[in-house]
Amino acid sequence: MLSNVDPEIAALIQAEATRQSRKLRMIASENDVSAAVLEATGSVLTNKYSEGYPGKRYYEGQQIIDQVEQLAIDRARALFGVDHANVQPLSGAPANLAVYLAFLQPGDTVMGMSLPMGGHLTHGWSVSATGKWFRAVQYDVRKDTGVVDMDEVRSLALAERPKVIFCGGTAIPRTIDFPAFAAIAREIDAVLVADIAHIAGLVAGGAHPSPAGHAQVITTTTHKTLRGPRGAMILCDAEYAKVIDRAVFPGLQGGPHDHTTAAIAVALHEAAQPEFREYAHTVVANAKALADALLERGFDLVSGGTDNHLILIDLTSKAIAGKPAAQALDRANIELNYNAVPFDPRKPFDPSGIRLGTAGITTRGLKPEQMPLIADWIDRVIAAHDNDQALDRIAAEVEELLGTL
Ligand SMILES: Cc1ncc(COP(=O)(O)O)c(C=O)c1O
């Protein structure tokens, strides 16, 4: 028993479980995995080394592991309707790095959405290896709409002729137009990579259009809306299977984390069930209901609302920055993160906005009719952000609601 061997860590894990249960967990990249996913993650598969792929390993004793990985691969292919799946990337950033290794030489041009506009570090942002070792050109959102302008993306692509184009990101509240990106990529013979880390669960559950058939390569984490363990996958057309597999191993990684692979397989099985479709649609319904309720209370939402699980709030009109707002909300048991908003005049470590998502609270059982209450709490917290007593009162109300679920 962990509590006998290491009572300190056991107590901390218990404390974290309690903390999570008391919070409205609205960090857009987080979720609550099922007991089944947790069990697979904590299994004896963590003892095994299995460099290579099913049927082609460098170590003995793969009779069971090969079946586990093959199941994960088959389930990923079926769920997302793709030719090939690599389930070994250790997380989202290494999955994207593998794509660079597969298709680009150092110095080649890559195009992605810039980080402050909602893209991800690994789409060519300057501080990332992807921005240092490659020539990155970055597209933005339009200032007046908060949304990507596909004509601007096309002009930039035609002028810069990147070999790889990334679409997707980490703070995009609107539907990604995969067919439009694909048309641009085709025009310049670039590889289109759809990074669906945030929306993979919505895609799997039919609540966001799929990039399958549009993007030659799809990367995703497995732990956000998809509700699996910390991990990632690369999905691709058959013609890129070999180059992707070689990039992941031996190009970038050693042994895969077989316990994670098993947990990914479990999550993919869960995501193929009818209840998951309901979950995915409720995630979006909750986000839309919350966005409406926030708008009614005078909040300024980037792009004016949401089509997915994510809401980005510009707090400038509320005369508070993102960081103190996020800290006050955390005290009130509403957990989210401070975030830059497009064209943010403030510094990244002290930006103007907050970002929140509805995947975790949907898993917890919350429904659209409860979203006005959450908007109300957020509104009250912002108004009373320096009043600890008021924040503690809201924290107690949040705990009371969570206790009824
Ligand atoms: C769009 C996108 N891609 C990649 C990643 C990186 O994933 P990880 O944190 O697992 O490396 C993230 C994580 O937030 C993300 O949002």
Side-chain angles (χ1 to χ4, degrees):
M1 283 281 284
L2 180 63
S3 53
N4 295 333
V5 175
D6 190 339
E8 269 179 296
I9 286 292
L12 288 171
I13 292 174
Q14 188 48 52
E16 174 62 10
T18 305
R19 191 196 67 80
Q20 288 185 14
S21 74
R22 285 190 181 143
K23 296 263 176 172
L24 270 177
R25 297 184 52 242
M26 301 187 76
I27 291 179
S29 48
E30 294 184 0
N31 214 324
D32 276 4
V33 298
S34 68
V37 166
L38 216 48
E39 194 178 327
T41 310
S43 68
V44 293
L45 272 58
T46 197
N47 297 341
K48 194 71 196 102
Y49 239 102
S50 55
E51 284 183 0
Y53 291 100
K56 289 170 282 175
R57 304 282 191 186
Y58 290 82
Y59 295 77
E60 295 311 313
Q62 309 297 341
Q63 297 85 348
I64 312 298
I65 296 299
D66 274 3
Q67 295 179 60
V68 169
E69 186 167 340
Q70 196 57 54
L71 264 178
I73 291 168
D74 292 346
R75 288 174 182 177
R77 291 176 56 217
L79 187 65
F80 289 97
V82 292
D83 296 336
H84 181 70
N86 186 307
V87 296
Q88 293 193 4
L90 299 176
S91 220
N96 285 345
L97 266 186
V99 170
Y100 284 79
L101 188 58
F103 297 108
L104 299 169
Q105 295 296 320
D108 280 350
T109 303
V110 62
M111 186 165 103
M113 191 180 196
S114 75
L115 179 74
M117 300 290 159
H120 190 257
L121 282 165
T122 54
H123 299 180
W125 187 241
S126 55
V127 301
S128 150
T130 63
K132 288 182 193 291
W133 297 343
F134 301 90
R135 183 179 162 266
V137 292
Q138 306 259 274
Y139 55 89
D140 297 336
V141 295
R142 278 178 65 124
K143 207 167 187 173
D144 54 342
T145 61
V147 177
V148 173
D149 180 330
M150 295 311 298
D151 291 335
E152 284 179 13
V153 173
R154 181 170 176 269
S155 302
L156 190 65
L158 291 180
E160 303 289 352
R161 307 200 78 81
K163 279 191 173 171
V164 168
I165 299 175
F166 274 90
C167 61
T170 194
I172 303 174
R174 293 296 183 179
T175 301
I176 300 163
D177 191 345
F178 297 121
F181 274 103
I184 293 167
R186 259 195 314 275
E187 236 184 299
I188 58 164
D189 208 18
V191 173
L192 178 64
V193 182
D195 180 347
I196 60 166
H198 262 267
I199 54 170
L202 307 184
V203 170
H208 187 290
S210 171
H214 302 294
Q216 294 100 322
V217 179
I218 302 167
T219 62
T220 183
T221 56
T222 45
H223 45 267
K224 298 184 172 99
T225 52
L226 191 56
R227 214 161 58 181
R230 306 305 287 250
M233 305 189 292
I234 306 177
L235 316 171
C236 63
D237 292 348
E239 65 175 301
Y240 301 112
K242 238 186 196 146
V243 72
I244 288 292
D245 281 354
R246 281 211 201 110
V248 174
F249 175 85
L252 206 61
Q253 296 184 177
H257 293 183
D258 298 316
H259 55 301
T260 300
T261 306
I264 289 174
V266 175
L268 292 168
H269 173 70
E270 290 176 347
Q273 306 310 312
E275 308 86 73
F276 193 88
R277 289 187 82 76
E278 199 183 320
Y279 147 81
H281 284 91
T282 309
V283 168
V284 176
N286 277 341
K288 283 180 182 293
L290 183 56
D292 288 346
L294 288 166
L295 288 168
E296 273 170 29
R297 287 158 182 79
F299 282 91
D300 180 8
L301 308 188
V302 171
S303 84
T306 183
D307 298 325
N308 53 32
H309 64 302
L310 189 143
I311 296 171
L312 191 56
I313 307 178
D314 184 344
L315 289 170
T316 309
S317 65
K318 297 282 183 183
I320 182 171
K323 198 173 191 172
Q327 286 167 344
L329 285 157
D330 190 53
R331 178 157 185 146
N333 277 342
I334 300 170
E335 187 183 2
L336 42 69
N337 65 284
Y338 61 86
N339 213 97
V341 296
F343 308 97
D344 203 324
R346 301 176 67 91
K347 297 261 181 293
F349 205 61
D350 184 24
S352 300
I354 50 176
R355 184 190 72 156
L356 55 88
T358 52
I361 59 169
T362 303
T363 298
R364 196 81 193 263
L366 289 170
K367 298 278 188 286
E369 49 273 25
Q370 285 150 323
M371 295 304 116
L373 181 58
I374 296 179
D376 226 34
W377 282 329
I378 294 174
D379 196 24
R380 282 167 57 198
V381 169
I382 299 303
H385 64 274
D386 47 8
N387 179 341
D388 285 351
Q389 271 185 335
L391 299 180
D392 290 346
R393 266 199 303 279
I394 298 167
E397 289 175 36
V398 171
E399 252 191 84
E400 200 182 312
L401 171 75
L402 291 174
T404 65
L405 297 174

